[in-house]
Amino acid sequence: MTTQYTADHEWVRAEGDAHVLGVTEHAQQQLGDVVYVDLPEVGRTFSSGEAIGEIESTKSVGELFAPADGEVVAVNDEVAGDPTLVNQDAEGAGWLVKVRFTSEPELLDAAAYQATLS
Amino acid sequence: MPEILHTPLEARHTAAGAQLTEFGGWMMPLRYGSDLAEHAAVRERAGLFDLSHMAELRVRGAEAGAFLDHALAGRLSALELGQARYTLLLAESGGILDDLIVYRLGASEWLVVANAGNRAVVAEALAERVAGFDATVVDETEEIALVAVQGPASQAIVEAIGLESSPLDELGYYRVLEAVFEGEDVLVARTGYTGEDGFELYVPAHAASDLWDALVRVGTPMGLQPCGLAARDTLRLEAGMPLYGHELSTETLPAQVGVGRSVALRTKGDFVGREAVEAGPAADAPVLVGLVAEGRRAGRAGYPVLDGDAEVGVVTSGALSPTLGHPIAMALVTPGHSGSLAIDVRGTRIPVTIVDLPFYRRQERA
C-alpha cells in the first residue's frame, strides 16, 4: 500500500474507503520519547488543518493535523496505552487514527516529503 | 547572527548518533537515543555530559576577591581554596542577569562559570565592574572544555580513568581539586546540575576527546551513558534547580525564585543590585512554586496557572517526571495560594497541587 505524507509530518495510507494516519519516522525522532498521546473520539468530524490529536514527548508537544475534512472512524487504543509504539514503529504499529475523508487531501509522495526535510 | 560554535567533542557526538541542536549559540547534543534512558542512567548509574558550551571566565589579581564581592551577589572572597559556590550576577534593578558557579582556585584566582547564552552579558558586566580594581577578567570559554559525569557510579568511573590527584573520597560536595590527566591539567569539581552526586571536569579543549574516550571506555561497563540536553533538563527540573530564561530572568528578584539565600545581604558590603534586593520584591510579585499533577499530561513552560477562573501565574518549566512517573512543574504564581490550583493545558484544566521543591531528592551516600 502506498504511503503518502503531509508537510506537517504525518503519513497517510489508504485502507479500503478509509485512510490510516500517523506521525512520520522523522517526526518521532524530533519529538524524542513519546510519553502520552491524546486521540480524538470515534465519530468526531473535523475540517482540514484542524488538530485532532496530540503526541507529547518528555520535551515537547506535537499535534496531529487533519490533511482534509472528514470523520474519525477508529483510533489506535494500543498506542494510547503504550505511547512508546510511536517511537518503535511510527509508520506501522504506532498508527494513530483511521479517518474517512470528505474532501481531497493534498499529499506528498515519499520523495517530495523527504525533500522537505533537507 | 554570530557564528554557531562547536564543541571539541562534536565528532564524538555525531559518531554516537546524537541529535544535535543549537543551544546558547552552540551546536549541542540533544539526545543520543532515548532521553528517558539517559535520564534513568543518571539516576541509577551514571551519565556523561558535554557541557563545553558553558562560559568560563578566569578572574585574577590582588583585588580579585574584592572585585567579585562588588560584582556578584555572593561573598566570593570568603571562599576557601578549592571551594565552589552558586551565586548570581544581578542588575542594579536586582533582576538576575545570570546564575553562576564560582570556584576559588588560588589566593588571588577564581573561575566564574556562566550559562552559554549569557556569556556576553556576563563578560560585559564583569569587564565594566572590574574598573578600579587590581584584577583581570579573561574569557577562556573556547579554550576550556567541560565534561560532567553524574550519578551514583560517577566516583568509581572518574577514579578509574587514572587521574593523578588526591583521593576523590576526600573531595566534598561543592569542592574542586587540581588533577592531571595524561599530562594535561584538569580541574575536578564535585558539582553538577542533576540532583545526583557527580563531577565536572574542566580540561583544555584539545584534551577533551581523550578524556571523553577514557570515560566512555571505563564507564560503559559500569553503565555510563552519554546524555544530551533533553535528559539534563528533566533531571534538573526534578531536582528543583532553576534554569536561566525559565525560572530566572532580569524580571525576577532572587527572593521570588528561591535563590535569595545566594545573596549575601548580611555578610558583605555594597554590591551591584544590593539596594534593590534589600528593598525586596513587591508584596504581590509572583513567587516560584512546585506543582504536581496526576496522570500523564504535563503543563509546560508558558502555560497559564489558574485558581478557579482567575489566571494567577505561569508555568516556567514542566514535564512528565521520568523518575516519579507523574507531571511536575515549576511556576511563578502570585503569593498566598495554598493547596490546589490548575494548569490550562491547551484548553484542558489539569488540577495541580502546590508542593515544596525539589520534587526529587537523592538518597544520601551511606
Side-chain angles (χ1 to χ4, degrees), chain B residues 37-49 150-153 194-197 223 225 227 231 235 360:
Chain B
E38 292 166 22
H39 181 112
V42 174
R43 290 280 180 254
E44 293 159 16
R45 301 178 304 278
L48 179 62
F49 297 84
Q150 299 277 299
T194 59
E196 298 301 328
D197 184 24
Q225 161 83 53
C227 296
L235 289 159
Y360 164 88

Side-chain angles (χ1 to χ4, degrees), chain B residues 115-131:
Chain B
N115 285 297
N118 289 333
R119 176 182 171 187
V121 167
V122 173
E124 267 170 47
L126 293 185
E128 211 170 277
R129 295 174 192 187
V130 78

